[in-house]
Amino acid sequence: MALTKASLAEKLFNEVGLNKREAKELVALFFDEIGNVLESGEAVRLSGFGNFELRDKRGRPGRNPKTGEDIPISPRRVVTFKPGQKLRSRVEENAGTE
Amino acid sequence: MTKSELIDSLSQKLWMLPLKDVDMAVKTVLDEMSDALANEDRIEIRGFGSFSLHQRKSRIGRNPRTGEPVMLESKQIPHFKPGKELRDRINASKNEIIG
């Protein structure tokens, strides 16, 4: 089962003692805020977890893989996630051991 | 923006909650997300994106100092795929700045 906003809110209700409405609001705001900061052009660095960074990609010639038609790919800004060392080592240690 | 700046900013919007609750909640959210990935679960946040694990094959690397070949085991690494809404918002913000 994938972790979702609902399961995160449930955890805050059970473990932090927020009421259900507060828990739901906090989880929604958490992801909204990260999105807003990225949209404003600033990276988000969450120590222990990882960094959300922005990269500006130049335009390049592309093509429709289905039709073979040439279509230019416009310059764009994308977000990338760089997992932190702590998260990387937790995943490497635990994953694949089940 | 750092984790503590994020906590401060959320705390201003959630004025009815004590700062220490917001602080604990943010840390709990990040711990839960790390736990999920460590347990090989996916994370799916609508509008924001999803996190999953990508498999890296084992390969022969080199010690950059000595040039000596080193066997690197296969491993899994966390991967984030931004959702369409986030992707579009971020890309649109670039156009605004340039245009």
Side-chain angles (χ1 to χ4, degrees), chain A residues 3 33 36 39 42-43 45, chain B residues 1 9 13 35 44 89:
Chain A
L3 187 70
E33 185 68 11
N36 289 340
E39 190 178 353
E42 194 188 338
R45 306 203 156 87
Chain B
M1 176 179 263
S9 164
K13 291 175 180 160
D35 286 351
E44 288 173 4
R89 276 172 64 190

Side-chain angles (χ1 to χ4, degrees), chain A residues 14-81:
Chain A
N14 289 327
E15 295 202 354
V16 184
L18 305 188
N19 69 37
K20 292 209 170 173
R21 188 181 48 77
E22 291 165 344
K24 208 176 145 194
E25 194 177 346
L26 190 140
V27 171
L29 273 176
F30 174 83
F31 293 105
D32 283 354
E33 185 68 11
I34 294 174
N36 289 340
V37 172
L38 292 169
E39 190 178 353
S40 79
E42 194 188 338
V44 177
R45 306 203 156 87
L46 305 172
S47 70
F49 186 72
N51 299 342
F52 295 92
E53 289 165 2
L54 296 164
R55 295 179 70 97
D56 286 322
K57 307 276 224 182
R58 280 184 303 185
R60 59 190 165 89
R63 101 177 3 166
N64 180 328
K66 226 173 267 174
T67 63
E69 192 185 351
D70 286 330
I71 300 173
I73 297 172
S74 55
R76 60 193 60 209
R77 176 172 290 174
V78 297
V79 56
T80 59
F81 175 68

Side-chain angles (χ1 to χ4, degrees), chain B residues 87-98:
Chain B
R87 242 181 11 242
D88 290 349
R89 276 172 64 190
I90 286 172
N91 194 37
S93 70
K94 175 190 199 298
N95 296 340
E96 275 163 29
I97 290 163
I98 288 174

Side-chain angles (χ1 to χ4, degrees), chain B:
Chain B
M1 176 179 263
T2 63
K3 196 195 300 179
S4 58
E5 288 165 349
L6 176 63
I7 290 167
D8 284 343
S9 164
L10 292 178
S11 178
Q12 284 175 23
K13 291 175 180 160
L14 296 160
W15 51 270
M16 68 291 188
L17 291 178
L19 176 62
K20 68 168 176 44
D21 286 5
V22 176
D23 182 87
M24 195 176 167
V26 166
K27 287 172 182 165
T28 303
V29 165
L30 291 170
D31 283 348
E32 275 301 292
M33 291 172 71
S34 298
D35 286 351
L37 293 170
N39 292 324
E40 300 188 62
D41 265 343
R42 290 170 55 81
I43 305 172
E44 288 173 4
I45 307 296
R46 188 157 308 168
F48 185 78
S50 60
F51 296 83
S52 58
L53 298 183
H54 277 190
Q55 183 81 30
R56 287 277 177 274
K57 284 189 198 151
S58 64
R59 63 187 175 91
I60 300 185
R62 280 183 193 282
N63 179 327
R65 206 168 295 165
T66 63
E68 202 179 325
V70 193
M71 181 64 184
L72 298 173
E73 298 298 325
S74 69
K75 63 178 179 182
Q76 308 217 63
I77 60 161
H79 177 78
F80 173 63
K81 184 170 190 286
K84 181 168 169 29
E85 189 188 312
L86 182 65
R87 242 181 11 242
D88 290 349
R89 276 172 64 190
I90 286 172
N91 194 37
S93 70
K94 175 190 199 298
N95 296 340
E96 275 163 29
I97 290 163
I98 288 174

